[in-house]
C-alpha cells in the first residue's frame, strides 16, 4: 500500500560554516500543531534556579572525561611538531625512536593533513619520495619530502606503553629542515615582496558592499569625524581539557572512540574511514567534555593519528594533546585589523561609515562580522579581506567574528559621542532602531550607576581614575531539525530520556531531565538521562548556540508524546478521557480520583511505553539582544587596569535554567575580559615562533582579576520559545571594557589587549601633543 506523501515546509536554520554563522533554507516535515511551552512565568521547574544534576560527579572527580579514560592494554600517543614557521623536511629518520623499549608504533603525518588543499605539489613529491617509517628517508637531489607551513604543524606521531616513553620516542626522531622564508605578521605578509604563504597569494580578494564615493561625501558633511584603526590579536580557546581521542580498536569489526568533542555525531564517520570500517561499526562516546568554545568538531589531526596508530598496533591508543600542542595547532580566534572612518551630526545622528576589514586567520580565512555591525548609518561601505600568514588556521570560537567587529564599532561610537559631547547611551539609543536595546540599555545603566560616570573622559582627579563603558551585541541563537529524543517509561515508574547530544559543561543534562520531569509532573531526580553516545538518537553538534533551540523542542515533543501515551493507559482507571488526566506532584489525577506515579505506571504494558520527539520550529526562536556595561579603575602612574564591575543584560525567551543562564552570561563576561585586557598570542616575526605557548606566559583572567559580575536576564522578553545564550553573552563586553578604560583615563587604546604599557605610551603621546 502506497504511503501518503509527507507534507513538507521550508524553514530557515542556522549553520556555522568555516567559523561563520549563516542561514540556510531547508525542508522539514510539517507535522501539524506543535506543543507549546506556555507563559514563561507559569512553569514549575523551568525558568527556575536548578542545580546541575552532574555537579556531584564533577566536584567529587567521578565524572569521566576522555582525558580520564583508561583501557586495558592502552597505549599513549604523542605528536612531533615542526619548530619552523615554513620549512622543507630534507631528512626524517625514525629508527632510533622505534628501537626504544615500549614503543609500539610510529607514523608520519602526510602533507596537507592539517591545511587541506594548500600543498598539492608537496603531496605529489611525497608520492615520488615517500618517508619510510623505520628507516632513514633521504631524498634525491632537489626533491621535497614535506613542506611545513607553520610552527607546530604535526610531522610524526608515536604510540608507546607510557606517556614518558612516548615523549622519549618523539625526541629520538631525527628530522632535518631547510628553513624557508615566512611571514607570521599580517602587515608584513601584505607587502609586495613578502614570502608567499599561499600559492594564490597572501590576500584573499575583498568582498565589497556599498558606494564608497557616496559614503565619503556624506562623511565630509558631518559635524564630527573619527578615522582610526582597531586591531585584536589571535586569542586561544584555552579549554581545560585539550583536544584528543581514545580510539579503542583491536583489529576486529568494531571500534569505540572516546572523544573530547562538541559533536558526538561528528566522530563515527571519519573514525570509520581511518580504520577501514563501516560507519555503523564505530561508537562515539562523549560522557563529559572539558570545554570546546568552537574548536572541537570532528576528529582532527590528533584523532586521525590515534586511529592510524591503533590500527597499526591493534590496541587502544590515547592521543590527548599537550598544552603546547593545543596552543600551536589546535586552532584559535582569528585576529582582526579594521580601518574605520565614521561621521556624525551634532544632534547625535550617525551619518556614514567606511570600513576596511582584514580577517587574520593564519592559514585559514578567519572570521569577522560585517560593519557597521548592529548600527544603521544613512550610508555605509565595507570591504572585507583575509590575510594569510604562516600560523595555524583559526577555527570557530564563541561568537565567531562578532567580538572583533563589536569592539571596533563600539570604540568608534564612543569616540564620536565624546567629540559631539553627547552621552554615549543617548547616542546609541538614537542610532539603534530596535527598541529592545533601549530598554536593556536603561536597565544596565541603572545597575551600573551610569550617572556616576565621568562626563568628560579622564575627568576625575587623582592617580586612580574610574570610568564606565557600554556596548551592545546581537546573535542568531536559533536551532534546527537535528535531534531525535526517546523517552521510556517502565512499568515500575522509571523514566529514562535518551539522546546522543553532548554536554559541554553548559547544563544539557540538567534541562534534558527538567523538561521531561515538568511535563510528567515529576521531580528532576525521578528522571534519568542518557546522552553522549552515537548509538542514541541523533543530535546536532554544539556550535553557534544552537544546542538548546535544537534539542529542547525535541525534548518537549517527546515529553508530550510520553505524557499522552501514559494518559492513554491510565485514563480508564480514572474514568476520564486521556486528555483530561492531570500530571502533577508525582500523581495522575482526574474525575475525583488520584493515583501515585508508580501506581499509575503499574497499568502500563510489561514493556512500558516509549515515545519519540522531534524538533518543532514554534518552540524555538531566533534573534537575541545583549547590552554590557563595565566599570574599571586605571592607575595612571602604572597603567594598570583593575576591573570593578560588569553588568550584562540578555534576552533569551524562555530560560530553561536561570542558574545555568546566569553562569553562561558570567562566563561570557570573563572570557571577554581576558580578550580586552590580558590575552593575545605573541609572535617573533623573525623566528616565526610563538613566544607564549603555555599558561605560564599566556595570561588568562584569574580570581584576582575578577570584578563584580551582574548577569540580568531580560524577563521583558515574553517570547514563549527557547534560544541559545552561550555566544551572545560574550560579544559586547570587549567594547564595554575598552570604553570604560577610555572614560576613566581619556586614553583610547585601539589595539587589544589593553596593557599598562599602551596606556602609559598613550599618556606620553598626549603630553607631547600638549607641549
Amino acid at each position: 500500500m502506497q504511503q501518503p506523501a509527507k507534507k513538507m515546509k521550508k524553514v530557515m536554520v542556522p549553520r556555522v560554516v568555516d567559523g561563520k554563522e549563516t542561514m540556510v533554507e531547508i525542508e522539514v516535515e510539517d507535522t501539524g500543531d506543535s506543543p507549546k511551552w506556555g507563559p514563561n512565568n507559569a512553569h514549575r521547574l523551568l525558568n527556575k534556579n536548578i542545580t546541575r544534576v552532574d555537579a556531584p560527579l564533577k566536584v567529587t572527580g567521578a565524572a569521566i572525561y576522555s582525558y580520564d579514560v583508561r583501557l586495558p592494554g592502552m597505549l599513549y600517543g604523542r605528536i612531533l611538531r615542526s619548530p619552523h614557521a615554513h620549512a622543507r623536511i630534507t631528512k626524517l629518520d625514525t629508527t632510533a625512536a622505534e628501537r626504544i623499549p615500549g614503543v609500539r608504533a610510529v607514523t608520519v603525518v602526510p602533507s596537507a593533513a592539517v591545511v587541506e588543499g594548500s600543498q598539492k605539489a608537496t603531496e605529489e613529491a611525497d608520492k615520488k619520495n615517500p618517508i619510510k617509517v623505520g628507516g632513514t628517508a633521504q631524498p634525491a637531489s632537489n626533491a621535497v619530502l614535506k613542506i611545513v607551513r607553520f610552527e607546530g604543524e604535526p610531522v610524526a606521531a608515536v604510540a608507546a606503553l607510557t606517556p614518558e616513553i612516548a615523549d622519549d620516542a618523539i625526541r629520538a626522531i631525527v628530522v632535518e629542515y631547510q628553513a624557508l622564508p615566512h611571514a607570521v605578521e599580517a602587515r608584513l605578509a601584505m607587502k609586495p615582496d613578502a614570502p608567499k604563504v599561499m600559492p594564490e597569494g597572501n590576500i584573499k580578494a575583498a568582498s565589497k558592499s556599498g558606494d564608497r564615493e557616496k559614503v565619503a561625501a556624506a562623511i565630509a558633511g558631518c559635524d564630527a569625524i573619527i578615522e582610526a584603526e582597531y586591531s585584536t590579536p589571535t586569542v586561544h580557546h584555552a579549554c581545560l581539557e585539550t583536544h584528543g581521542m581514545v580510539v579503542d580498536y583491536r583489529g576486529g569489526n568494531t571500534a569505540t572512540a572516546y572523544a573530547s568533542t562538541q559533536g558526538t555525531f561528528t566522530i563515527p564517520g571519519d573514525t570509520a574511514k581511518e580504520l577501514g570500517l563501516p560507519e555503523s561499526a564505530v561508537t562515539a562516546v562523549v560522557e563529559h567534555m572539558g570545554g570546546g568554545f568552537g574548536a572541537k568538531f570532528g576528529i582532527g589531526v590528533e584523532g586521525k593519528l590515534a586511529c592510524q596508530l591503533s590500527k597499526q598496533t591493534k590496541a587502544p591508543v590515547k592521543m590527548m594533546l599537550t598544552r603546547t600542542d593545543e596552543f600551536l595547532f589546535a586552532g584559535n580566534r582569528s585576529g582582526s585589523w579594521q580601518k574605520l572612518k565614521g561621521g556624525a551630526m551634532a544632534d547625535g545622528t550617525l551619518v556614514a561609515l567606511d570600513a576596511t576589514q582584514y580577517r587574520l586567520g593564519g592559514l585559514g580565512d578567519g572570521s569577522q562580522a560585517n560593519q557597521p555591525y548592529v548600527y544603521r548609518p544613512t550610508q555605509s561601505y565595507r570591504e572585507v579581506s583575509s590575510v594569510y600568514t604562516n600560523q595555524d588556521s583559526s577555527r570557530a570560537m564563541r561568537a565567531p567574528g562578532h567580538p572583533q567587529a563589536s569592539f571596533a564599532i563600539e570604540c568608534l561610537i564612543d569616540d564620536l559621542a565624546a567629540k559631539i559631547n553627547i552621552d554615549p547611551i543617548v547616542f546609541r539609543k538614537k542610532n539603534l532602531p530596535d527598541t529592545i536595546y533601549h530598554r536593556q540599555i536603561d536597565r544596565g545603566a541603572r545597575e551600573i550607576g551610569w550617572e556616576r560616570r565621568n562626563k568628560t573622559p579622564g575627568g576625575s582627579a587623582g592617580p586612580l581614575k574610574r570610568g564606565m563603558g557600554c556596548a551592545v551585541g546581537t546573535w542568531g541563537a536559533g536551532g534546527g531539525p537535528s535531534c531525535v529524543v526517546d523517552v521510556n517509561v517502565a512499568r515500575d515508574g522509571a523514566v529514562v530520556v535518551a539522546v546522543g547530544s553532548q554536554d559541554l559543561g553548559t547544563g544539557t543534562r540538567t534541562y534534558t531531565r527538567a523538561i521531561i520531569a515538568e511535563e510528567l509532573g515529576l521531580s528532576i531526580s525521578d528522571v534519568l538521562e542518557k546522552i553522549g553516545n552515537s548509538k542514541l538518537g541523533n543530535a546536532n553538534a554544539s556550535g553557534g548556540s544552537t544546542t538548546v533551540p535544537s534539542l529542547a523542542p525535541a525534548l518537549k515533543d517527546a515529553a508530550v508524546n510520553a505524557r499522552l501515551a501514559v494518559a492513554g493507559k491510565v485514563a480508564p482507571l480514572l474514568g476520564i478521557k486521556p486528555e483530561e488526566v492531570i500530571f502533577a506532584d508525582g500523581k495522575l489525577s482526574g474525575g475525583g480520583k488520584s493515583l501515585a506515579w508508580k501506581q499509575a505506571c503499574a497499568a502500563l504494558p510489561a514493556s512500558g511505553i516509549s515515545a519519540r520527539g522531534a524538533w518543532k520550529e514554534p518552540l524555538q526562536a531566533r534573534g537575541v539582544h545583549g547590552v554590557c556595561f563595565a566599570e574599571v579603575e586605571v592607575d595612571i602612574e602604572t597603567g594598570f587596569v583593575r576591573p570593578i564591575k560588569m553588568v550584562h543584560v540578555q534576552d533569551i525567551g524562555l530560560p530553561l535554567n536561570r542558574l545555568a543562564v546566569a553562569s553562561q552570561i558570567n562566563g561570557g563576561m570573563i572570557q571577554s575580559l581576558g580578550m580586552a585586557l590580558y590575552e593575545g598570542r605573541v609572535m617573533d616575526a623573525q623566528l616565526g615562533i610563538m613566544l607564549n605557548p603555555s599558561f605560564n606566559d599566556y595570561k588568562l583572567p584569574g580570581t584576582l582579576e575578577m570584578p563584580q559580575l551582574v548577569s540580568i536576564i531580560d524577563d521583558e522578553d515574553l517570547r514563549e520559545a527557547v534560544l541559545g545564550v552561550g555566544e551572545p553573552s560574550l560579544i559586547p563586553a570587549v567594547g564595554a571594557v575598552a570604553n570604560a578604560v577610555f572614560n576613566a583615563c581619556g586614553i583610547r587604546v585601539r589595539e587589544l589587549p589593553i596593557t599598562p604599557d599602551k596606556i602609559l605610551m598613550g599618556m606620553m603621546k598626549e603630553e607631547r601633543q600638549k607641549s
Side-chain angles (χ1 to χ4, degrees), residues 11-15 23 476-481 540 545-551 615 620-622 722-723:
V11 299
M12 298 298 291
V13 299
R15 292 286 186 266
M23 295 296 294
N540 64 309
S545 296
T546 60
T547 307
V548 164
S550 297
L551 177 57
W615 185 69
Q620 58 88 54
R622 178 176 172 80
V722 293
L723 298 100

Side-chain angles (χ1 to χ4, degrees), residues 602-623:
L604 300 179
S607 59
I609 64 99
S610 296
R612 173 161 285 189
W615 185 69
K616 300 294 181 182
E617 184 188 9
L619 293 174
Q620 58 88 54
R622 178 176 172 80

Side-chain angles (χ1 to χ4, degrees), residues 150-323:
F150 63 92
E151 182 206 9
E153 182 170 348
V155 173
V158 303
L161 292 177
T162 68
E164 294 77 15
I165 294 174
D167 286 334
D168 288 342
I170 286 297
R171 287 189 287 267
I173 297 175
V174 177
V175 186
E176 293 182 3
Y177 299 90
Q178 177 189 348
L180 300 173
H182 62 260
V184 296
E185 290 188 354
R187 298 182 193 225
L188 297 178
M190 295 177 71
K191 292 184 176 181
D193 59 347
K196 261 194 174 183
V197 177
M198 292 289 191
E200 58 273 20
N202 295 353
I203 304 175
K204 186 175 183 178
S207 61
K208 301 178 182 181
S209 176
D211 188 321
R212 196 164 215 168
E213 291 185 2
K214 288 183 178 179
V215 170
I219 291 176
C222 289
D223 296 321
I225 300 171
I226 295 291
E227 183 173 10
E229 297 183 13
Y230 305 86
S231 64
T232 63
T234 297
V235 297
H236 291 268
H237 300 79
C239 307
L240 288 182
E241 182 181 38
T242 62
H243 286 67
M245 281 175 55
V246 178
V247 178
D248 187 3
Y249 176 68
R250 301 169 191 259
N253 298 322
T254 62
T256 302
Y258 303 86
S260 182
T261 181
Q262 294 176 232
T264 304
F265 294 91
T266 67
I267 300 302
D270 288 342
T271 301
K273 180 180 178 181
E274 293 295 329
L275 296 174
L277 297 173
E279 184 173 345
S280 60
V282 176
T283 301
V285 178
V286 193
E287 277 293 314
H288 300 275
M289 66 91 67
F293 305 115
K296 294 179 178 177
F297 295 102
I299 66 175
V301 65
E302 64 280 356
K304 291 181 181 179
L305 292 171
C307 289
Q308 292 167 17
L309 292 167
S310 184
K311 188 175 182 179
Q312 285 184 40
T313 59
K314 294 182 174 53
V317 172
K318 180 178 186 176
M319 181 69 80
M320 302 299 296
L321 298 189
T322 66
R323 185 57 60 184

Side-chain angles (χ1 to χ4, degrees), residues 9 76 182 202 261 277 284 377 379 381 392 418 446 474 496 500 568 588 603 622 636 679 700 748 755:
K9 64 179 179 179
Y76 294 84
H182 62 260
N202 295 353
T261 181
L277 297 173
Q379 296 283 347
Y381 170 85
D392 64 314
R446 290 196 300 272
T474 186
V496 177
L588 278 69
R622 178 176 172 80
I636 61 172
E679 295 183 53
L700 292 167
R748 169 60 74 189
T755 48

Side-chain angles (χ1 to χ4, degrees), residues 47-210:
N47 201 11
K48 303 293 192 298
N49 290 329
I50 310 173
T51 302
R52 296 190 187 196
V53 298
D54 52 349
L57 291 175
K58 291 184 174 179
V59 300
T60 59
I64 302 298
Y65 294 78
S66 296
Y67 210 102
D68 300 320
V69 172
R70 302 287 189 275
L71 301 173
M74 187 176 75
L75 303 175
Y76 294 84
R78 284 289 187 268
I79 295 173
L80 175 66
R81 305 181 308 268
S82 164
H84 299 283
H86 190 199
R88 176 181 291 113
I89 296 175
T90 57
K91 178 180 178 181
L92 195 156
D93 187 350
T94 61
T95 305
E98 291 190 350
R99 288 175 177 170
I100 295 175
V103 173
R104 292 292 181 263
V106 180
T107 188
V108 173
V109 180
S111 299
V114 179
V115 185
E116 295 180 1
S118 65
Q119 302 180 28
K120 293 180 180 178
T122 308
E123 287 180 319
E124 292 302 317
D126 280 349
K127 293 176 182 178
K128 297 175 183 177
N129 303 277
I131 302 174
K132 299 176 182 177
V133 176
T136 301
Q138 188 66 45
S141 177
N142 298 322
V144 177
L145 287 181
K146 176 182 172 69
I147 297 291
V148 291
R149 296 180 180 269
F150 63 92
E151 182 206 9
E153 182 170 348
V155 173
V158 303
L161 292 177
T162 68
E164 294 77 15
I165 294 174
D167 286 334
D168 288 342
I170 286 297
R171 287 189 287 267
I173 297 175
V174 177
V175 186
E176 293 182 3
Y177 299 90
Q178 177 189 348
L180 300 173
H182 62 260
V184 296
E185 290 188 354
R187 298 182 193 225
L188 297 178
M190 295 177 71
K191 292 184 176 181
D193 59 347
K196 261 194 174 183
V197 177
M198 292 289 191
E200 58 273 20
N202 295 353
I203 304 175
K204 186 175 183 178
S207 61
K208 301 178 182 181
S209 176

